[in-house]
Amino acid sequence: MQVTGNNSLNTYRLSIRVFTDGFSLFTYTNTQTKPFSEEFFPVADQTQLPAQLEAILSRPHITEHIYEKVEVLACTPTTHIPLDEFRREEMVPLYRLTFSNMECASEDVQYEILKSLEVVELYYLPAEVRNAISHVYPEAEFHAMHGQILERLSGKKTEREEVDGICHVQVVRDNLYVSVLEPQGLRFACDYRAATDNNRFYYILYALKTLETDLKRTLCLLSGVSDTLKENLEKYILFVEPCV
C-alpha cells in the first residue's frame, strides 16, 4: 500500500489538483506547510487525462514515498445549496442548469456536505479520473478546491469591532475564488476563470458591489495573489491582509 496511517517522520502527503487542462502534484513531508515538490502536467485532450494521471502517479519518484494522506482537489466550477434544500436526485439537473456551457455525464457531477457552513457543494470531476486515482491510491480523499477554502474560511474569526465580515480571495493558476462570510454564515461563494489581474480585480469588486458590502468594514484575506492585485484592492478596501 502506498497510503498509510503511520505517523513516522519519513512519511509524506500528496495533494493532486485536477484542472480541465491538466493536473498538478504537490508533495509535502508531514511536518511541512509548503510543498518541497510541485509539478504541473498539461493535458491537451481531456479524454486522455485519466490515463495520463495514472501513468504519472505510477512513476518511481512518486511511488517511492509512503503517503500518510493523499488528497485530490478538483479545480472546476462549483455551486452551493443550503443543506436543508439539497435533494440528491436534483443535483445533476441543477449543476447542468448552472453551468449550461459544460458537457458532463451524470456520474461526473460530485457533491460534498460542508458541515461547518451547512451547505452542499456540487462540483465536476470525471468518474474516470476518480477511478484512475483510486486505482493507484484507494484511500485517496476527494474534494473540490473551493470547498476546502470555504471550510478553512469558516474557522477564521475576527475580533475587530470595526470589521463585520470576511472576504477571502484566492488565485490558483487561472482560477479565482471569491468568498464572503458574515456572522450569520456564508453569504457568497463563486469561482471564475480569470487569467489576468485586471479581470480578477473586476470580478472581486463587482461581487462586493453587488452584495452591497461595506468596504470599510470588511476584512479581505488574500492567497496566491500578485502584489499588483493586492495594491489595487487596497485602494478600495480598508483592511487587506495575507491569509495565513
Side-chain angles (χ1 to χ4, degrees):
M1 289 290 291
Q2 293 166 314
V3 180
T4 177
N6 187 349
N7 289 321
S8 164
L9 291 177
N10 295 321
T11 58
Y12 298 83
R13 292 180 289 115
L14 178 64
S15 178
I16 305 169
R17 296 182 182 178
V18 180
F19 302 87
T20 54
D21 61 347
F23 59 94
S24 293
L25 302 181
F26 295 80
T27 308
Y28 306 77
T29 68
N30 62 358
T31 59
Q32 287 181 315
T33 57
K34 293 185 177 180
F36 69 82
S37 174
E38 177 181 342
E39 301 175 275
F40 176 69
F41 301 90
V43 179
D45 183 355
Q46 193 177 12
T47 62
Q48 298 302 313
L49 181 58
Q52 203 161 332
L53 240 174
E54 188 168 351
I56 293 296
L57 292 177
S58 300
R59 287 183 176 180
H61 79 283
I62 302 295
T63 59
E64 67 183 1
H65 299 308
I66 296 175
Y67 297 107
E68 181 181 7
K69 181 179 181 181
V70 176
E71 180 182 61
V72 182
L73 299 177
C75 302
T76 56
T78 61
T79 190
H80 303 86
I81 308 165
L83 181 57
D84 58 0
E85 297 180 14
F86 175 65
R87 304 292 182 271
R88 187 169 181 176
E89 64 274 11
E90 298 174 358
M91 72 177 194
V92 174
L94 178 59
Y95 190 86
R96 288 172 174 166
L97 179 64
T98 306
F99 303 105
S100 56
N101 60 332
M102 290 183 62
E103 294 185 8
C104 54
S106 298
E107 61 269 22
D108 297 339
V109 179
Q110 318 292 339
Y111 79 95
E112 181 171 8
I113 298 174
L114 306 181
K115 296 180 181 178
S116 62
L117 296 166
E118 297 186 349
V119 300
V120 177
E121 180 173 56
L122 305 184
Y123 65 98
Y124 171 78
L125 182 66
E128 290 186 356
V129 169
R130 186 180 181 115
N131 293 338
I133 296 172
S134 297
H135 183 258
V136 183
Y137 297 109
E139 298 180 27
E141 299 178 7
F142 294 84
H143 310 281
M145 169 67 82
H146 204 174
Q148 295 304 286
I149 294 172
L150 292 174
E151 292 273 47
R152 290 196 298 272
L153 180 62
S154 69
K156 291 188 177 296
K157 307 294 182 183
T158 175
E159 298 179 356
R160 298 182 181 182
E161 293 183 358
E162 67 272 27
V163 170
D164 293 329
I166 296 175
C167 172
H168 183 269
V169 174
Q170 179 157 358
V171 175
V172 180
R173 296 184 68 243
D174 290 344
N175 298 288
L176 169 68
Y177 302 95
V178 181
S179 310
V180 177
L181 190 69
E182 296 181 344
Q184 63 269 29
L186 179 67
R187 185 178 182 197
F188 178 83
C190 191
D191 50 86
Y192 307 87
R193 291 288 291 178
T196 68
D197 277 344
N198 285 340
N199 286 344
R200 294 164 187 153
F201 181 66
Y202 168 81
Y203 285 132
I204 295 165
L205 286 191
Y206 182 78
L208 294 177
K209 179 181 179 181
T210 302
L211 295 170
E212 299 182 347
T213 302
D214 187 345
L215 301 184
K216 294 181 179 180
R217 296 189 59 84
T218 297
L219 173 61
C220 185
L221 299 176
L222 307 178
S223 301
V225 309
S226 68
D227 290 340
T228 300
L229 181 55
K230 177 178 179 292
E231 291 169 1
N232 285 334
L233 291 172
E234 287 174 333
K235 296 175 183 177
Y236 296 86
I237 303 173
L238 185 57
F239 303 106
V240 177
E241 299 177 1
C243 184
V244 293

